[in-house]
Amino acid sequence: MENENTPFKAGLNSGLILGLISVVLTYVIYFVDSSLLAAWYVGIGIFVLFIGLIIYFGIQYRNSIGGYMPFGAAFNFSFITLVVAGIIGVLANILLFTVVDPALPNVLVDAQMETQIAMLDKFGAGDSISSEQLDEMRTNLQNAYTPFGQLKGFGFLLIGYAIFALILGAILKKRDKSLDF
């Protein structure tokens, strides 16, 4: 029986690599300046890096299986990669927020509140927000950093992962045109 490299196995390997990169980046950013974990531009930068790495790993996988990959295999590879990396990232975040630095969620909530209030002020709606609404915003943000909030957020991320896997599958697929009649 030959050792076949399936989209699941390749996605699992790529997901482990991306997950470890995610953990390293998160902890490096935490040690450099923990408030950067709440910065939107850091999140966008990491997201772009991960999409680029998934495409790179996907092309490597496609080349390893003969240079052609149907959309289904490309989708499966991308989705498994994202899910595995996401699970590792969530577990690392739960560890960071509950064991390494339990005070970190409050720092991040404060940074996010400042950003949201500044954005509301930019649109002229800052004065119309009541203190009850601000308290509710703060509570919702704090709940997102609990272990249950992290797991709940990951559940919603699965929908986003499926959408991105569809897009990545379309990018990574390559059909053998010599088989066309």
Side-chain angles (χ1 to χ4, degrees):
M1 186 169 155
E2 74 182 55
N3 189 3
E4 187 176 320
N5 195 10
T6 64
F8 180 80
K9 286 181 186 176
L12 185 64
N13 290 336
S14 297
L16 288 171
I17 293 168
L18 280 180
L20 292 175
I21 290 171
S22 169
V23 171
V24 168
L25 282 176
T26 299
Y27 280 82
V28 166
I29 292 169
Y30 166 71
F31 288 121
V32 169
D33 181 4
S34 61
S35 65
L36 288 175
L37 291 171
W40 63 270
Y41 54 88
V42 172
I44 297 285
I46 291 173
F47 175 74
V48 168
L49 173 69
F50 278 21
I51 296 300
L53 285 172
I54 292 170
I55 291 171
Y56 173 76
F57 291 140
I59 291 171
Q60 276 189 326
Y61 170 63
R62 183 179 70 198
N63 290 339
S64 76
I65 60 172
Y68 300 103
M69 183 167 45
F71 175 77
F75 170 79
N76 288 339
F77 167 82
S78 301
F79 187 69
I80 295 298
T81 300
L82 287 166
V83 169
V84 170
I87 290 170
I88 293 169
V90 165
L91 293 176
N93 285 343
I94 290 172
L95 182 68
L96 177 63
F97 298 142
T98 58
V99 177
V100 175
D101 190 354
L104 180 61
N106 291 328
V107 171
L108 298 178
V109 166
D110 290 342
Q112 288 175 309
M113 288 294 291
E114 287 177 22
T115 302
Q116 288 181 0
I117 291 170
M119 186 180 291
L120 289 170
D121 285 341
K122 241 185 221 184
F123 291 113
D127 296 333
S128 64
I129 302 291
S130 69
S131 62
E132 292 83 23
Q133 289 172 318
L134 288 174
D135 289 341
E136 184 179 343
M137 284 171 51
R138 179 174 292 283
T139 301
N140 290 338
L141 288 171
Q142 286 172 334
N143 289 340
Y145 291 106
T146 64
F148 178 72
Q150 291 284 306
L151 293 173
K152 188 169 95 172
F154 180 72
F156 289 114
L157 272 177
L158 287 175
I159 297 167
Y161 288 165
I163 293 168
F164 284 115
L166 287 170
I167 295 167
L168 290 167
I171 292 169
L172 293 172
K173 73 173 175 60
K174 185 175 182 182
R175 64 185 182 98
D176 187 358
K177 294 181 182 181
S178 70
L179 299 177
D180 291 346
F181 291 38

